[in-house]
Amino acid sequence: MMAKISLRMFVLGIVFSLALWVVVAHLLAMPVIPPPEQVLLRLAQKFTDVIAVHAGYSLMRIVLGLAAAVAVGYPVGVLMGYFPRVNRLLAPLLYLTYPVPKIALLPVVMLLFGVGETSKMLLVFLIIVFQVVVAVRDAVAVIPSETYAPLRVLGASFAQIVRHIIVPASRPKFITAVRVAMATAISVLFFTETFGTQYGIGYYIMDAWLRVNYLDMYAGIVVLSTMGLLLFALLDWAERRLCAWNRS
């Protein structure tokens, strides 16, 4: 039932957005806001040969940056939450670097790693990894100490404690942190794709804008929005499957 309600709300949101778009386009009657049927037709014409390639590059950068952020941030968050000494050691560094706007690091990242794929994925990584570390650390830190007692009495190793207690307990906050960071990551990725690349939805949208090709520009915006929608839907699905015990 929950999945059906979510799907229905997604559909209603899309229908409402398209209806609002139609109204605004007809009221303004300006080339800068073409009607959605023209944009969707252009999208259908160019998606397979052109737009899909740009979307593939953007999606690859997001997925690889996210995978690296989870691979680094989750273990660090677990260690900081479980071992107070590790938290005291790393917390000052975390608090100094976390508030810095990651987009402000773009010039430094590009100077150090160039304008290629590495710098783009690194910025996605930096946006997500801090959210993951903080969320997982806080989730682990609030687990009551007596929760560990049964496994410790049975001689469980730290890896077994992580698997059977820490991972399930931290999963909801971890998914929420990724969901919150994902929107910022997509926004920053769009900005970075305007530098030193010819592939990516950000490049495609800005290139269409500079060519005053509004149909192509809006087609790229629709694809970018759809990518975000699918990523958020995937996170919602993962939360339903992995955190069913945490939902009413």
Side-chain angles (χ1 to χ4, degrees):
M1 176 61 70
M2 191 173 296
K4 292 181 179 179
I5 293 174
S6 297
L7 178 61
R8 185 170 61 196
M9 294 304 296
F10 277 133
V11 173
L12 288 175
I14 293 172
V15 170
F16 176 78
S17 300
L18 289 175
L20 182 61
W21 187 355
V22 169
V23 171
V24 173
H26 282 82
L27 286 177
L28 296 181
M30 298 171 60
V32 70
I33 305 182
E37 60 269 18
Q38 294 183 14
V39 174
L40 295 177
L41 178 60
R42 177 61 60 88
L43 176 59
Q45 292 171 345
K46 303 191 70 172
F47 181 78
T48 303
D49 296 332
V50 180
I51 300 179
V53 176
H54 292 281
Y57 272 87
S58 295
L59 190 60
M60 175 196 69
R61 291 161 183 156
I62 292 173
V63 170
L64 292 179
L66 171 62
V70 172
V72 173
Y74 198 94
V76 172
V78 168
L79 293 175
M80 291 181 68
Y82 189 80
F83 298 106
R85 183 175 299 178
V86 176
N87 183 58
R88 288 194 297 270
L89 179 65
L90 297 181
L93 178 63
L94 178 68
Y95 295 151
L96 283 172
T97 54
Y98 181 36
V100 177
K102 304 307 176 287
I103 194 64
L105 299 176
L106 178 61
V108 178
V109 171
M110 287 188 170
L111 286 172
L112 292 175
F113 299 96
V115 295
E117 298 299 324
T118 302
S119 61
K120 295 172 177 57
M121 289 185 288
L122 182 58
L123 274 177
V124 175
F125 166 84
L126 290 174
I127 291 168
I128 299 176
V129 69
F130 288 100
Q131 298 267 17
V132 171
V133 170
V134 172
V136 173
R137 183 201 65 172
D138 293 348
V140 175
V142 298
I143 298 175
S145 57
E146 58 268 20
T147 306
Y148 303 111
L151 285 183
R152 287 172 176 165
V153 169
L154 295 174
S157 64
F158 175 66
Q160 290 172 322
I161 291 176
V162 169
R163 177 184 175 185
H164 295 289
I165 296 179
I166 292 178
V167 169
S170 61
R171 210 177 275 153
K173 285 191 176 181
F174 162 69
I175 294 177
T176 299
V178 173
R179 184 187 290 113
V180 171
M182 188 64 69
T184 307
I186 293 174
S187 301
V188 172
L189 178 65
F190 169 84
F191 186 77
T192 61
E193 287 180 338
T194 62
F195 295 93
T197 183
Q198 293 183 343
Y199 296 101
I201 287 296
Y203 169 82
Y204 182 83
I205 293 172
M206 296 303 295
D207 179 67
W209 173 59
L210 293 173
R211 291 186 289 105
V212 199
N213 190 329
Y214 296 124
L215 289 179
D216 281 2
M217 183 182 75
Y218 276 94
I221 292 173
V222 169
V223 171
L224 183 63
S225 177
T226 303
M227 285 174 52
L229 174 64
L230 292 176
L231 289 171
F232 278 104
L234 181 62
L235 288 171
D236 285 347
W237 173 84
E239 186 178 29
R240 286 194 297 269
R241 292 294 301 271
L242 301 176
C243 308
W245 52 268
N246 196 47
R247 302 176 69 92
S248 56

